[in-house]
Amino acid sequence: MSNLIVSKTPLRVSLVGGGSDLESYYTREGIGKVISFTIDKYIYVTVHNRYDGLIRASYSKTEIAQNVKDINHELIRESMKLLKIESGIEITSISDVTAHGTGLGSSSAYTVGVLNALSNLIGKGYSRFNLANDACIVEIEKCMQPIGKQDQFASAFGGLNEISFADSNVSVCELNVSMQNLSKLSENLLLFDTGLKRKASTILSRQKQEYENDKVSATRQLVDLVKPMRSALLSDVDIVGEILDESWRIKKTVTSGISNDIIDGYYKTAKESGALGGKLCGAGGGGFLLFYVKRENQENLRKALSEMRELDFKLEFEGAKILCN
């Protein structure tokens, strides 16, 4: 059993179906569906045994405690408790995209990374499914976050997938997209940081309440876009832009706070500069804007959105992994 473990977990971008991974939606409607992919931006978690028996957790703050119950960081605390680790651990992390509230699934990627690293430290093997499922247990059941299950499964599995959610199961289906289409998709998708940060839980709590009040029609329309998005990815990738545009139009009607004047202004500018479509990543309110833009229009768009920082990325297909053990 190794004394030092380093895990590497990718961030994700959701294309269509977001919000249908909330239990309040798929238990009511019978099924939720999303299409998402992971990118080559990662969260790295290092865990190490401590000889003095203390717990040291270093993130944006540093905590030192004698027992797991005294750790304030809930994702670390509940992950350790789930794996029955009470003390004698040092946990540190770094991220390629440091800010919270990006809409790229960073909290779930972090939880997957912590569980993956800790489980390897104690010699417990995880399948990808069980790793993602335990991350859901930590975030949704133990920490009572009002979030869905898309991010955990996307980060654990990696790649471009259609993920389905039902009462008793989650299924991950890798989309068999040609290398030519994958290359075109990667070349034509651009990410820009709006600079607006938000807590996804605020919007998702409101969304959950509206599902409970029978307001599910908009999300049902988003799920209906999964099939045409799958067809576009397998055949004519340029249609992805049109579907994203329709998806964003619908998503803004799901609940209040998803967009605002600043985001709407950026989106309008992008469309006028050649983007075929796009969407705000994550729950809404801030974070990264994703646009589908043909190569010949990309420089015009970059100039038009020059006040935003672009995040250069590629699709990745490895998912959660251990770098050092």
Side-chain angles (χ1 to χ4, degrees):
M1 185 162 52
S2 176
N3 193 42
L4 173 68
I5 304 291
V6 180
S7 69
K8 175 184 177 184
T9 316
L11 302 180
R12 68 95 190 96
V13 171
S14 177
L15 289 175
V16 287
S20 72
D21 59 328
L22 290 168
E23 184 179 12
S24 52
Y25 178 84
Y26 61 75
T27 55
R28 174 187 174 83
E29 295 296 297
I31 194 166
K33 284 181 178 288
V34 302
I35 291 179
S36 65
F37 60 86
T38 48
I39 63 176
D40 62 345
K41 304 301 172 190
Y42 303 93
I43 290 178
Y44 302 86
V45 176
T46 299
V47 297
H48 188 270
N49 287 317
R50 284 181 66 100
Y51 81 96
D52 59 8
L54 295 175
I55 301 169
R56 180 179 183 272
S58 179
Y59 43 104
S60 57
K61 301 177 181 179
T62 297
E63 298 186 57
I64 297 179
Q66 292 185 326
N67 192 279
V68 64
K69 63 180 173 54
D70 298 319
I71 293 294
N72 292 321
H73 194 297
E74 60 180 7
L75 297 178
I76 293 175
R77 183 184 66 243
E78 297 305 325
S79 293
M80 289 180 62
K81 288 169 67 175
L82 187 71
L83 293 171
K84 298 181 170 52
I85 302 172
E86 295 185 354
S87 59
I89 293 288
E90 184 157 353
I91 303 178
T92 62
S93 60
I94 58 174
S95 175
D96 287 333
V97 183
T98 54
H100 294 289
T102 61
L104 301 178
S106 58
S107 293
S108 295
Y110 178 81
T111 307
V112 170
V114 168
L115 285 169
N116 203 17
L118 287 174
S119 65
N120 274 270
L121 188 71
I122 63 174
K124 174 184 176 180
Y126 260 129
S127 68
R128 292 189 185 276
F129 182 91
N130 288 336
L131 175 59
N133 196 59
D134 271 6
C136 291
I137 290 172
V138 167
E139 291 194 272
I140 300 170
E141 296 182 21
K142 303 298 183 182
C143 298
M144 293 184 288
Q145 293 293 321
I147 62 174
K149 296 183 175 182
Q150 172 186 189
D151 297 355
Q152 302 87 347
F153 281 85
S155 287
F157 279 81
L160 175 58
N161 301 297
E162 182 176 325
I163 309 175
S164 302
F165 311 90
D167 275 349
S168 58
N169 194 29
V170 177
S171 63
V172 180
C173 178
E174 180 181 1
L175 295 181
N176 189 26
V177 179
S178 70
M179 290 301 297
Q180 180 180 0
N181 281 7
L182 284 174
S183 177
K184 186 174 183 180
L185 181 70
S186 185
E187 288 175 0
N188 291 345
L189 287 176
L190 304 181
L191 272 174
F192 291 88
D193 189 353
T194 65
L196 304 172
K197 306 305 173 190
R198 84 292 179 269
K199 290 194 70 173
S201 57
T202 303
I203 295 173
L204 290 173
S205 293
R206 193 181 303 127
Q207 195 167 332
K208 178 182 177 182
Q209 184 62 48
E210 296 200 357
Y211 289 162
E212 292 170 351
N213 292 335
D214 298 342
K215 298 179 180 178
V216 298
S217 59
T219 302
R220 195 182 295 135
Q221 291 177 63
L222 294 176
V223 173
D224 288 342
L225 291 177
V226 168
K227 185 175 180 179
M229 178 63 78
R230 184 200 314 129
S231 297
L233 291 167
L234 295 174
S235 55
D236 186 354
V237 177
D238 285 338
I239 299 176
V240 167
E242 299 172 18
I243 299 171
L244 286 176
D245 190 49
E246 176 68 5
S247 174
W248 178 236
R249 183 192 65 77
I250 296 168
K251 185 175 177 65
K252 290 193 295 180
T253 70
V254 170
T255 191
S256 61
I258 286 177
S259 190
N260 55 48
D261 291 343
I262 296 173
I263 294 168
D264 288 344
Y266 286 141
Y267 194 89
K268 182 174 183 291
T269 298
K271 287 293 295 293
E272 291 172 348
S273 302
L276 296 180
K279 66 185 291 286
L280 197 66
C281 296
F288 280 85
L289 274 165
L290 176 76
F291 295 110
Y292 186 95
V293 195
K294 291 183 179 180
R295 178 174 289 184
E296 60 265 26
N297 295 320
Q298 290 180 5
E299 284 312 307
N300 286 337
L301 184 136
R302 288 186 172 104
K303 290 176 182 177
L305 299 180
S306 59
E307 64 185 87
M308 288 196 290
R309 176 178 293 182
E310 183 180 357
L311 180 67
D312 186 41
F313 74 94
K314 293 181 175 60
L315 277 66
E316 80 87 53
F317 295 88
E318 292 186 317
K321 64 183 297 187
I322 298 296
L323 294 181
C324 175
N325 63 6

